[in-house]
Amino acid sequence: SFERGRSLKIGMRHLAATLVATSALAADFSSPHPHRETRAPFRPESKVVGSLSSSELEVLDRGEVVLKQSKGKAGGVGVAVEDVEAPPSVVWSQLLSFETYPTKVPRVKVCENYEVNENRELKTRFVVHVCPGYNVEYFVRHVYAPHSNALVWTLDYDKASDLDDVHGIWRVEPHPSKRGWSRVEYSADLRLKLGVPSFIVDILTKKALKEACHWVKLESEAQYKSQKHPRDDGTLFGSAVALLDAGLRDFEASVLDAVTAIRKHSKAAFAPGPAPLLDASTRRRPLAMLRPRRPPAPPAHHQPPRERRFRFLPRRAP
């Protein structure tokens, strides 16, 4: 009973701390954030991960994630690296489709873009479910830099967010040794507001770091396997067969489109309608205008030119 009462007290303390922290949070779309950026954000060319050790490369070869994390009282910095069996184009299609995050990313309840600029800048509203009765709402400014294979983000400081500050980066590059694979790097620097319980800090740092990498690998590989040709086994021959098959399918589709267009044109040409303004003979024979005209017959006295024949005389003796 003593242990039960102690655990009940700890649970009530966590609940009270959660309620206090929830009341302190006040995300507001129409109000600015209390401050601007507190530290230098990531840049597209920033190097997040240095050279990997042999043990870390073995972890990646086993299909696992390399995690590095440093946690403080009100946040932390996390770095993750993983190999994905899908090309970078497929991984980017998953990362940039923010509207689909609630259906595939754990804890994300709301994800919607409220501003998209021509310079590859997207501003997105997130609502993340941390624990029962506790949600975090924040506004993020993303900048996609395809020339650097990176997506960087910070808070949108023109909107008031529940997070004190955050910035991060995604980097997706072709795998250095596996054809058709990608190496994905992720890093985030998170700062929460004062008064947030430590277990919430753990959820938003350590657990969120693992979940962020897991869903990218899962969704990207599933999409790539659904699009991959069955003969494409990663070898040069298999890729050539898949490429040739795709080219033949495209050619067949173009031929079918051309045949369909010709049929539609033919039906329109022979459809019943008002007779054209032509002479009487053409009206009696509406197909005469479509038949090729024969050249006029030559006159009776005409004779074809004779072929010129050359006679070779023997060479005279000198």
Side-chain angles (χ1 to χ4, degrees):
S1 60
F2 175 76
E3 293 295 334
R4 184 179 179 181
R6 182 180 179 184
S7 60
L8 181 60
K9 288 183 179 180
I10 294 176
M12 293 299 295
R13 289 178 183 177
H14 283 177
L15 179 60
T18 301
L19 295 176
V20 171
T22 305
S23 61
L25 301 179
D28 189 359
F29 184 83
S30 59
S31 301
H33 201 63
H35 58 79
R36 308 301 291 183
E37 56 189 29
T38 57
R39 53 204 175 281
F42 290 107
R43 300 181 61 85
E45 61 275 9
S46 300
K47 291 295 181 181
V48 179
V49 181
S51 59
L52 298 173
S53 63
S54 58
S55 59
E56 292 173 340
L57 292 176
E58 292 177 358
V59 172
L60 293 177
D61 290 337
R62 293 196 301 266
E64 301 176 2
V65 184
V66 175
L67 298 174
K68 301 178 181 180
Q69 187 179 19
S70 61
K71 190 186 74 171
K73 293 183 178 181
V77 180
V79 178
V81 185
E82 67 178 348
D83 290 342
V84 179
E85 189 180 357
S89 59
V90 175
V91 181
W92 280 123
S93 67
Q94 291 292 331
L95 290 175
L96 296 176
S97 56
F98 293 105
E99 293 81 1
T100 62
Y101 275 29
T103 61
K104 58 189 180 184
V105 183
R107 303 184 186 279
V108 175
K109 299 303 179 183
V110 178
C111 186
E112 53 188 7
N113 296 325
Y114 57 89
E115 185 177 339
V116 179
N117 299 332
E118 296 180 357
N119 55 352
R120 298 187 176 91
E121 179 182 346
L122 302 92
K123 296 183 178 181
T124 312
R125 171 178 172 260
F126 286 87
V127 177
V128 178
H129 177 72
V130 181
C131 61
Y134 188 84
N135 295 330
V136 174
E137 181 179 2
Y138 56 98
F139 305 91
V140 177
R141 173 181 172 267
H142 299 91
V143 177
Y144 176 50
H147 59 280
S148 299
N149 301 319
L151 173 71
V152 296
W153 73 88
T154 62
L155 283 182
D156 181 8
Y157 297 101
D158 295 331
K159 316 293 181 186
S161 299
D162 291 338
L163 302 177
D164 184 66
D165 204 357
V166 66
H167 67 276
I169 182 172
W170 283 101
R171 188 181 303 282
V172 183
E173 294 180 335
H175 196 277
S177 60
K178 296 181 180 179
R179 188 177 180 276
W181 286 54
S182 300
R183 177 153 290 176
V184 181
E185 301 175 0
Y186 170 80
S187 181
D189 189 350
L190 175 66
R191 293 291 182 273
L192 300 174
K193 295 182 178 180
L194 297 177
V196 176
S198 59
F199 76 95
I200 293 180
V201 177
D202 292 336
I203 294 175
L204 293 177
T205 53
K206 187 176 181 179
K207 292 184 179 180
L209 185 64
K210 292 182 179 179
E211 293 172 351
C213 296
H214 179 69
W215 80 263
V216 173
K217 182 178 179 66
L218 186 66
E219 296 292 337
S220 300
E221 291 181 351
Q223 178 185 347
Y224 182 55
K225 288 180 180 179
S226 65
Q227 299 174 353
K228 188 177 179 181
H229 192 273
R231 294 292 299 275
D232 189 358
D233 54 359
T235 62
L236 181 61
F237 177 76
S239 301
V241 171
L243 183 62
L244 178 61
D245 185 70
L248 291 176
R249 288 199 304 269
D250 294 341
F251 177 74
E252 182 182 1
S254 62
V255 171
L256 292 176
D257 293 341
V259 171
T260 304
I262 292 174
R263 288 178 178 176
K264 289 182 179 179
H265 179 73
S266 301
K267 290 181 180 179
F270 294 104
L277 298 178
L278 301 175
D279 55 3
S281 61
T282 309
R283 288 183 182 179
R284 287 194 302 270
R285 300 179 61 188
L287 297 180
M289 57 183 298
L290 301 178
R291 295 173 181 171
R293 295 184 179 181
R294 296 181 179 178
H301 62 276
H302 177 74
Q303 296 181 359
R306 294 183 177 179
E307 297 181 0
R308 298 184 64 180
R309 296 182 180 180
F310 297 92
R311 185 177 61 177
F312 296 94
L313 301 177
R315 187 175 182 181
R316 295 180 180 181

